[in-house]
Amino acid sequence: MRALITGITGQDGSYLADMLLEKGYEIIGMVRRSSTESFERINHIKDAITLIQADLLDQLSIVNLIEEFRPAEVYNLAAQSFVPTSWNQPVLTGEFDAIGVTRMLEAIKLVDKKIRFYQASSSEMFGKVQEVPQSETTPFHPRSPYGVAKVYGHWITVNYRESYNIHANSGILFNHESPRRGLEFVTRKITHGVARIKLGLADQLALGNLDAKRDWGFAGDYVRAMWLMLQQDKPGDYVIATGETHSVEDFVKLAFGHVDLDYRQYVVTDPRFVRPAEVDLLQGDASRARKNLKWELTVDFEQLVKMMVDADLERLATAVK
Ligand code: NAP
Ligand code: GDD
């Protein structure tokens, strides 16, 4: 089996590549051209995969890539994935996260409609939530240009499934984290901050809205759900979530507590990190995935927080030695 992964240098792309390699897949990773290569998350598997330059903004590069390698499965994980950036670069976010999906689907339609497709949709599409918990039937109300672009990406995936009979799947994934999470996202910002404070490298952590609630899971569990969707006879849309919700403050408290520190002495709020429109509460209902995909979690919230703090402590302690 050959799989193409866009966004392979990202958090999810790297975990997915690890898992597919273990299953014996041949992996083609799509990377965009950069003056300096940043392959930190896939350095350990670089020799076992094939990296090819192409860009979500360039239709022909995607067609050529799919034509040359003819993958059986395509996982479209590449995106501008940071919500605050989408207010500063709304047009570019739309190009990547909305029209980029159409470019991927057009390439599949042109080359071979039997190729199975996974689209990385997001719980940000629920935004100002219309019900709690959110499931596949909950109406969307996105609150950022990122969320709006992802709604487009979701519906174009559904549309190519219905119009051309492509095995096109939309995974509506709630927040998922890991030691490989980007430093700007709140979980990693917190665990990295805790490690810095514990090691005496910093004395403060500036955050935005501590009241926002998220349904946080472990990325390693979520990439398994992506693969499971593509192994089903019928394509579909699936919510992937833990079903639990916690505030940013809960995360902070647990992360500082894990190294015996009282967060109230270190955390300050900074209006620079407060968003023009917030998603106040996410809590997913993954019953469909549990029933149809037999998908299950292996890491709970507390284990996730501790895993991330421990990984940052270890990484920083080694770096300062
Ligand atoms: P991430 O760590 O930010 O990775 C994003 C990836 O996209 C990187 O490999 C990046 O490459 C690539 N990329 C960006 N623009 C590109 C372009 N124009 N052409 C080619 N590649 C491009 O994101 P993630 O957390 O792994 O998330 C993966 C996907 O799931 C994203 O679509 C995200 O929106 C979605 N999602 C994530 C979550 C979550 O909680 N993590 C939840 C729901 C949905 P560079 O290395 O070159 O920057
Ligand atoms: N990033 C960040 N930095 N967020 C903060 C901070 C801070 O200093 N302080 C508070 N927050 C709050 C945000 O306001 C938000 O409510 C919450 O923490 C989570 O923010 P992020 O970790 O940046 O993630 P996100 O929920 O906006 O988006 C992530 O999850 C989506 C799925 O729901 C990203 O991975 C998206 O790509 C993904 O689609």
Side-chain angles (χ1 to χ4, degrees), residues 96 116 129 192 278:
F96 287 175
R116 295 187 172 199
V129 298
H192 191 253
E278 180 62 285

Side-chain angles (χ1 to χ4, degrees), residues 7-13 30-32 38 41 54-57 76-81 96-97 120-123 146 150 173-177 181 185:
I8 194 162
T9 56
Q11 171 189 259
D12 290 8
M30 181 179 118
V31 290
R32 50 180 169 171
S38 58
R41 296 185 179 102
D55 202 299
L56 281 182
L57 299 185
N76 184 36
L77 310 184
Q80 192 299 93
S81 72
F96 287 175
D97 299 8
S121 295
S122 166
S123 51
Y146 170 84
K150 284 286 181 182
L173 272 51
F174 282 62
N175 299 49
H176 46 280
E177 320 293 315
R181 185 57 141 156
F185 297 92

Side-chain angles (χ1 to χ4, degrees), residues 11 79-84 120-125 146 150 173-177 181 183-190 205-216 248 270 273-275 277-280 282:
Q11 171 189 259
Q80 192 299 93
S81 72
F82 192 48
V83 172
S121 295
S122 166
S123 51
E124 274 290 301
M125 301 191 302
Y146 170 84
K150 284 286 181 182
L173 272 51
F174 282 62
N175 299 49
H176 46 280
E177 320 293 315
R181 185 57 141 156
L183 277 168
E184 63 211 326
F185 297 92
V186 78
T187 54
R188 184 74 200 291
K189 183 172 169 184
I190 295 166
L205 177 62
L207 295 170
N209 177 14
L210 298 184
D211 296 328
K213 291 182 149 186
R214 289 290 180 276
D215 180 328
W216 279 296
V248 172
D270 185 332
F273 300 116
V274 175
R275 301 175 180 189
E278 180 62 285
V279 172
D280 295 316
L282 290 176

